[in-house]
Amino acid sequence: MAADSPLGPSGTGQSPSAGREPVLAVEDLTVRFPSDDGPVAAVRGMSYTLAPREVLGIVGESGSGKSTAGLAVMGLLPRSAQATGRILFEGQDLLAMPERRRRALRGRRIAMVFQDPMSTLNPVLSVGQQVAEAVRSHQAVSRRAALARAAELLDLVGIPQPAQRLRSYPHEFSGGMRQRVLIAMAVANNPDVIIADEPTSALDVTVRAQILELLMEVKEVVGAAIVLITHDLAAVAGTAQRVLVMYAGRPVEIGTTEDVFAAPRMPYTAGLLGAIPGRGRPRGRLRSIPGAPPSMINLSPGCPFRPRCPIRREPCDSQEPLLAQTERTGHLSACHDWRLLAAEPDPQQLFGSEKVEAG
């Protein structure tokens, strides 16, 4: 495949580091869950590549499938889930791999930062015990050496007096400090890939910025690539080289962060960008996307976004659009009429604005 090809090996927007083999390649990933009303298609044909040391942002509303896709990469889906497709880590298909081998990779080569530290950390074990266990689960070291390494990791993530704080329990830490502990555990074994699932969702604005900055600093120390899963487009704008937008379980736009933010080619993306406060609108005004995401049980034919779309036309009612190349290399959109967006000076204007009272 030529290095300047607009498409990755599975029809996805290619990483800017296209000359290197991807450390992670997700190909046609589908995840279904059984329910009393029928199977729930949480992820539908998702594909993307991740280059070494790259940061890929995956964004979308709650229920879009982005977190489920991250859990599928980690092998942490519930037993009832049915996952198909391929998840290639350095060329090895994780979905076809025996659980024993996959468990050996999890935490050592591929790690995850979860969104809720209080439900992830064990409240009855000290922070030092938990970080040390993350080390010893993949390294044949003594308990003393693991605790010494745990202190180094707490220092790396900016926790003051790390040797003393090893004896602290999770409830003695603030939310931001607990998130730092999760990052320390994720990088304990110098992973190649970190899946960060809403790592700042439970934090206030100031602490969010600190945690994102820390994540990027730690990434450089260990040389990892990051999949940043979030609904916070501002977080993606400041950290990711590329962004993948999900809707109704599928990628609907993918490209460099600069291209997608400056020139969205999917109405849903334009609507998300229009909902960010302060993007050139009168004070107190926010644009909103009308309606709600569709049920993922027995999706009707056509584009899932069409009931909420301001430019829907006849093809949208009968044919679900696939990701296709736009006018920019590596920028893909799943929209029949992306050219109409390209002709709009400000695609966000397609969505109405509403007054937001200061609170």
Side-chain angles (χ1 to χ4, degrees):
M1 182 176 58
D4 59 355
S5 167
L7 300 180
S10 54
T12 64
Q14 198 174 39
S15 161
S17 306
R20 292 179 288 170
E21 285 296 314
V23 64
L24 183 70
V26 175
E27 300 181 356
D28 198 25
L29 174 66
T30 295
V31 180
R32 292 184 175 88
F33 295 94
S35 77
D36 292 340
D37 297 319
V40 178
V43 179
R44 303 182 301 126
M46 183 182 193
S47 298
Y48 66 84
T49 60
L50 182 71
R53 294 178 175 266
E54 181 186 13
V55 180
L56 171 69
I58 299 181
V59 302
E61 292 170 286
S62 296
S64 62
K66 56 189 188 298
S67 292
T68 299
L71 291 173
V73 172
M74 290 299 300
L76 295 176
L77 292 170
R79 290 180 181 274
S80 61
Q82 301 171 350
T84 60
R86 298 206 301 170
I87 301 174
L88 302 177
F89 174 72
E90 295 185 341
Q92 302 178 74
D93 186 1
L94 299 180
L95 289 182
M97 189 178 291
E99 177 57 26
R100 180 181 56 80
R101 287 186 57 203
R102 194 166 186 180
R103 193 183 304 117
L105 291 176
R106 187 164 55 235
R108 181 171 65 90
R109 305 292 305 281
I110 308 174
M112 191 164 195
V113 178
F114 295 91
Q115 61 179 296
D116 184 4
M118 282 307 287
S119 64
T120 304
L121 295 171
N122 190 326
V124 301
L125 295 179
S126 71
V127 166
Q129 287 176 290
Q130 296 184 66
V131 179
E133 177 58 28
V135 174
R136 296 190 73 191
S137 62
H138 294 287
Q139 299 180 39
V141 297
S142 67
R143 182 177 178 274
R144 181 186 296 273
L147 285 171
R149 173 63 174 156
E152 293 175 0
L153 290 164
L154 293 187
D155 184 52
L156 174 66
V157 299
I159 292 179
Q161 299 180 310
Q164 289 75 20
R165 298 313 296 268
L166 289 175
R167 296 187 290 273
S168 299
Y169 288 84
H171 72 272
E172 299 178 275
F173 281 27
S174 67
M177 296 284 269
R178 287 192 291 265
Q179 199 66 44
R180 289 171 185 265
V181 172
L182 289 189
I183 293 173
M185 293 171 68
V187 302
N189 299 290
N190 297 330
D192 300 285
V193 174
I194 298 172
I195 309 291
D197 183 17
E198 300 278 10
T200 62
S201 63
L203 307 175
D204 64 44
V205 174
T206 303
V207 179
R208 282 183 201 174
Q210 294 173 356
I211 293 299
L212 285 171
E213 183 178 358
L214 170 65
L215 198 56
M216 296 305 111
E217 291 174 355
V218 170
K219 162 194 175 301
E220 292 303 317
V221 172
V222 301
I226 292 181
V227 177
L228 176 60
I229 299 170
T230 182
H231 63 273
D232 185 350
L233 273 72
V236 169
T239 57
Q241 288 85 48
R242 287 190 305 143
V243 59
L244 183 154
V245 182
M246 288 192 73
Y247 187 78
R250 296 193 70 174
V252 294
E253 185 160 5
I254 185 169
T256 66
T257 305
E258 181 180 1
D259 282 350
V260 171
F261 275 60
R265 294 295 179 255
M266 166 62 182
Y268 176 61
T269 308
L272 289 179
L273 292 170
I276 299 177
R279 287 180 61 88
R281 284 175 297 285
R283 185 168 181 168
R285 293 276 175 182
L286 287 178
R287 296 196 180 95
S288 61
I289 304 175
S295 167
M296 299 307 293
I297 302 174
N298 298 322
L299 274 174
S300 58
C303 177
F305 188 63
R306 71 188 182 285
R308 312 172 71 187
C309 182
I311 63 169
R312 63 183 179 274
R313 298 197 296 178
E314 189 285 323
C316 308
D317 294 328
S318 57
Q319 303 173 29
E320 181 171 7
L322 302 177
L323 280 172
Q325 180 71 56
T326 67
E327 81 279 15
R328 297 174 185 243
T329 300
H331 188 175
L332 310 181
S333 167
C335 179
H336 293 300
D337 290 319
W338 65 262
R339 290 178 179 81
L340 291 179
L341 288 185
E344 285 283 340
D346 180 8
Q348 298 166 32
Q349 296 280 1
L350 295 168
F351 294 89
S353 61
E354 57 185 33
K355 181 73 173 177
V356 177
E357 299 296 336

